[in-house]
Amino acid sequence: MRRVPLLLLLCGAVAADVQDLQSRVFHARDRVLPALVNVQVVTETFQGGRRRQMTAGGSGVVVSADGLVVTNFHVAGHAKKVFCTLADKTRVRAELLGGDPSTDLAVLRLDLKEIKRLGGSFKVATLGRSEGVQVGDFVIALGSPFGLTASLTSGVISNTERYLSSSQRLPTGEPTGMFNNWIQTDAAINPGNSGGPLVNLSGEVIGINTRAITGDGLGFAIPVDTVKRVYTQIVAHGSVVRSWIGVDRGLEPLGLESEVRGVRVGHVDEGSPAAKAGLRPGDIIQAIAGKPVEAVHLDQIASIRSTIADAPLGKPLTLRVRRGEETVDLSAVTERLGALKLEYFDARRFGLTARPVTERFARQRGLKSTAGVVITGVTGGGPAAAADLQAGDIILKVQRKSVESLQSFRKLYREIQKDMPEKVLVSIQRGQARMFRALTPSKKDEEDDE
Amino acid sequence: MRMFASLLLLLSPALAGELEQSVLRSAQASMVGVQARVMRTFTFGGQTRSRRVPARLTGVVIGEGRILTGPLGDDPQNLKVFVPGTEDGIDAELEESGPDFSVITAEGLTAVPLSFKKDWDPAIGEKLVWVGMLSGSLGKWNLIAKSAEVDVLIKDEQTDTLDVYSDPPFGGPVLVQNAPVFNREGRPIGVLILRRSAAGGGRRGGGRQPGLPVIRLASAFSGWLDGSVQRRAVLGVSVEPLGEAVAEALGLTGTPAVVVTQVTPGSGADKAGLRAQDMITQVDGKPMPNGEALRAALRGKAAGDKITIVYLRDAGGGPQKAEVEATLTARDAQAAKERHRARRFGFVAQPLTDAVRRDQNLPADVSGVYVRRVTRGGPAGLGRPTPLRRGDVILKVGEDPTSDLASLKAVLQSLPDGKPVTLFVRNGANTRFVEITPEKPSE
């Protein structure tokens, strides 16, 4: 199905409109291919209880004359080093400006001096609009599937408002997809296509290819309208600033049968701005800051979350709420949504890796505060494993000293390394239980570069 | 269902004997396989570790829905029982656990209780048969049996156990722990326990060898048979033993204690001021090396009884000793067994007991009913994700709070078929609304 336009050509069909389609594909290709980059990164993974360096590859597209490249967060978001190969095969270093795990986007800056020195060149792709894209539009996808550089695949738009479960996570553990829907296409998207452009027949970028579902012809791209907003914020702040009132996780569609229009509140985070404003589960939000909102189906939720996230920070946000037969206006003062990018720490001599207790994690687990660090992995047969520490345990104290954050854990770890006790006493929380564990730190200093 | 063809026999040449045949016939209606994930403590490189592992055991039905089986620890999960020849389990619950036995209950189990002979005098050279349960590679449970002419029998009057010696040995695989043992008259007289051999109990292969066969006589567990023994009162704590490594790190080497990991809100322990990570060293003057010692100290006590607890609390400067008196509270065992089958809605609910509250991470002020099971494809189990899920707590149906099973039942019964109703539920720290349309259950 997806190769219909090309198959027709191969079959020798000579209809004039097919020739026209062919020339438009060539046109689109020529506008975007010189802006395509192959992205190679040296990145860190924290799996199996230890930090490892690895290399990975993906795609990107140049979007400004000063060499800014848009790619995926899952390609470059945790990169330590980035190399980009331009369409003319010039290979240069690039710098990571920042990223946004939620929309899976990252922005890189090419080393322009180096490009000049090497005599390389690139073109800037034109960003189109994803609003107005229609199911059935012909598109091409550009990228480096499985490292096969400058590959072009073609297909049509399969869906413009694809909703994928909001509880998804990136390979590095960050939650993703709360604030956007996806453009679905049957143009072949494979590993390595990530970060490459999805292009319409006018040669405009309409999305950034991000993920695929195992199967045939199920690729998903971040719509370019979202890309533009995120890109602007990353260039300005290095990350995306979002407003939060505490209903992100609790918005529910009302269903077709409902006589009332709006979006139902199923859950309000305890102590959040919305809770303080008096919002309760069962309320139906009908307008946010005067703008009507409505959700009949799950795929309408992300854009409502996004409306809240884009509201001005620290300012009152008016919610028109239907409660039973009444309609009330509530005002919630927005707070900043906590950082989404996760940091990790490899406590090598303990045989474990840890990350901070984020506000989101604390809310989901019903924790009173964000104190402590979460164990993300333990090395097989290592000190943590031998002491029955497990991934998911929260370390609250080390040697009777409170662990407030990842920073304080790192500091305590360094202090302990100085005098190296036989046994290190840790207090953990596992589910609702609190326990003592004692680990014997390994003495070996191998590869300990912390 | 219970076909003789499914019998797996590990019998000596005397297999075809009448005794064995009659024992198998009478035993098979009373046997179940037991499966659960249990906490086991391992000692590894001088460190003690606990880990949840799958366990498969033999169980014998001793009363209506009551089963005697091997050790399951304090908190077995996914506890299920299987009748011979089947692979679909029935949910079960722990009633009491000891160091080498447990009593569990399985509602809806149709099995015939074995009636044990409590006064039996063994004869030298008596022929005995045990009947156990073994699960094959496909997960189906089958009967396994063995008979032997037992040469020497030594009775331990204190523990009501009997050491048996025979050639070939009367032992079997670990799975047959608690297999009922039948005498030459075909009457069950006790259960088989397999003691780890003192000589072969070292690190090398000790665990793999079948243990020494010992028979626990029915008189040792007669209280369980007639239902006179029941755990009536609780303190309201979960505990784990104080391991060597932790004891050393706390400067408490050689102090036997159990460490409190959780305190049930509102329980006697809570009111006495006990907290997680307190280390209980004595209860009523008795040392507390493990959870079994604590349970033994509470056994036979009733709600309202007081106990004296000596504990250590690790304050800033090191462990401080303290003593408190705690009042035991009633165990909500009865509530734990209540169910409401909402057939038109396709789920089964149970009261929100302290145990459920603890497992599901729910604060004391949440009141609702707990969803124990959702029928796949039923009104509550249709779609992906399903509207209702096991582990949900139903807080309201429509506008009506459902604080207990009776109020849930009342409101559900008032709702007509075919009209959607909105339930307000909680799962962990999150709440949500779900819509369910009741329908007449299909036949």
Side-chain angles (χ1 to χ4, degrees), chain B residues 342-346 379 412-417 436-441:
Chain B
R343 287 183 185 281
R344 293 189 304 133
F345 295 80
L412 292 185
Q413 275 172 353
S414 71
L415 299 167
D417 285 340
I436 302 176
T437 308
E439 60 180 35
K440 235 188 205 89

Side-chain angles (χ1 to χ4, degrees), chain B residues 206-439:
Chain B
R208 284 190 201 167
Q209 286 171 6
L212 294 178
V214 176
I215 297 168
R216 188 203 303 276
L217 296 171
S219 46
F221 51 89
S222 59
W224 293 105
L225 296 175
D226 58 24
S228 63
V229 179
Q230 286 227 338
R231 210 161 111 205
R232 288 175 299 170
V234 290
L235 176 59
V237 290
S238 302
V239 296
E240 62 177 8
L242 176 63
E244 277 171 44
V246 171
E248 188 191 328
L250 285 164
L252 291 171
T253 307
T255 311
V258 290
V259 190
V260 176
T261 57
Q262 245 178 298
V263 178
T264 307
S267 65
D270 187 22
K271 286 180 184 147
L274 281 178
R275 297 205 302 244
Q277 296 186 313
D278 285 345
M279 291 155 274
I280 300 177
T281 55
Q282 281 183 14
V283 170
D284 289 341
K286 292 188 202 87
M288 288 291 125
N290 51 41
E292 167 54 21
L294 179 61
R295 277 192 302 279
L298 300 181
R299 206 165 285 152
K301 294 213 184 311
D305 287 357
K306 289 180 170 29
I307 57 168
T308 307
I309 299 168
V310 180
Y311 67 94
L312 298 165
R313 177 170 293 170
D314 187 51
Q320 304 288 318
K321 193 171 170 179
E323 189 177 311
V324 289
E325 196 177 64
T327 308
L328 302 179
T329 53
R331 181 169 179 257
D332 50 4
Q334 203 46 49
K337 287 180 200 160
E338 285 173 40
R339 299 282 183 276
H340 176 61
R341 278 163 217 284
R343 287 183 185 281
R344 293 189 304 133
F345 295 80
F347 69 89
V348 178
Q350 74 163 73
L352 198 52
T353 58
D354 287 339
V356 170
R357 230 176 250 289
R358 209 179 51 211
D359 291 349
Q360 300 292 320
N361 205 349
L362 293 167
D365 59 352
V366 173
S367 90
V369 292
Y370 178 70
V371 177
R372 191 181 166 78
R373 197 182 309 158
V374 174
T375 312
R376 217 175 296 161
L382 203 59
R384 229 177 62 176
T386 58
L388 210 57
R389 298 189 269 282
R390 183 192 160 98
D392 284 345
V393 175
I394 303 175
L395 306 172
K396 280 182 180 181
V397 174
E399 292 300 315
D400 299 315
T402 48
S403 51
D404 52 30
L405 278 191
S407 56
L408 175 80
K409 205 168 159 180
V411 59
L412 292 185
Q413 275 172 353
S414 71
L415 299 167
D417 285 340
K419 194 161 177 275
V421 60
T422 306
L423 277 60
F424 184 43
V425 303
R426 175 170 175 135
N427 197 306
N430 293 331
T431 55
R432 66 181 202 279
F433 290 91
V434 298
E435 239 157 57
I436 302 176
T437 308
E439 60 180 35

Side-chain angles (χ1 to χ4, degrees), chain A residues 24-84:
Chain A
R24 291 189 67 187
V25 169
F26 285 153
H27 169 73
R29 173 200 68 188
D30 293 342
R31 284 195 69 187
V32 185
L33 202 55
L36 184 69
V37 296
N38 173 262
V39 181
Q40 294 287 327
V41 298
V42 177
T43 188
E44 284 179 333
T45 64
F46 290 81
Q47 273 164 8
R50 60 187 299 173
R51 184 180 70 94
R52 285 187 178 84
Q53 281 211 337
M54 56 174 265
T55 59
S59 309
V61 60
V62 185
V63 295
S64 79
D66 54 349
L68 297 183
V69 171
V70 172
T71 184
N72 279 143
F73 184 90
H74 78 258
V75 172
H78 286 275
K80 295 286 140 185
K81 285 178 197 164
V82 187
F83 300 94
C84 287

Side-chain angles (χ1 to χ4, degrees), chain A residues 249 252 254 257 264-267 281-282 363-366 385-388 390 400 423 425 427-428 432-438 440, chain B residues 47-50 240 245-246 248-250 259-262 276-277 279 314-316 318-319 358 361 422 424 429-433 435:
Chain A
R249 295 182 302 140
E252 299 172 353
L254 272 171
E257 297 86 9
R264 182 166 54 206
V265 178
H267 176 84
R363 283 194 295 271
Q364 278 171 344
R365 290 278 190 101
D388 180 40
Q390 301 169 5
R400 299 194 167 97
K423 289 263 184 295
L425 182 69
S427 279
I428 59 162
Q432 284 292 84
R434 289 208 176 186
M435 299 162 167
F436 289 115
R437 291 293 182 262
T440 312
Chain B
Q47 301 239 23
T48 307
R49 317 162 49 170
S50 299
E240 62 177 8
V246 171
E248 188 191 328
L250 285 164
V259 190
V260 176
T261 57
Q262 245 178 298
Q277 296 186 313
M279 291 155 274
D314 187 51
R358 209 179 51 211
N361 205 349
T422 306
F424 184 43
N430 293 331
T431 55
R432 66 181 202 279
F433 290 91
E435 239 157 57

Side-chain angles (χ1 to χ4, degrees), chain A residues 289-345:
Chain A
K291 184 186 158 198
V293 291
E294 175 183 352
V296 173
H297 190 259
L298 277 171
D299 60 15
Q300 290 166 293
I301 299 291
S303 78
I304 299 172
R305 287 199 198 109
S306 180
T307 303
I308 297 169
D310 294 343
L313 190 60
K315 301 269 162 56
L317 183 66
T318 311
L319 306 173
R320 170 146 295 184
V321 169
R322 177 78 175 242
R323 181 176 292 165
E325 297 302 310
E326 289 171 50
T327 303
V328 289
D329 278 337
L330 303 177
S331 176
V333 179
T334 61
E335 289 175 16
R336 186 173 176 168
L337 180 71
L340 296 170
K341 181 174 171 179
L342 293 176
E343 282 178 85
Y344 292 86
F345 176 62

Side-chain angles (χ1 to χ4, degrees), chain A residues 5 31 58 76 112 114-116 127 157 171-172 191 218-219 227 248 268 277 282 289 298 316 334 350 352 441:
Chain A
R31 284 195 69 187
L112 291 183
E114 187 71 0
I115 293 173
K116 200 172 171 192
L127 299 183
I157 299 288
T172 41
L218 295 168
V227 175
D248 287 351
V268 182
L298 277 171
T334 61
F350 290 178
L352 63 86

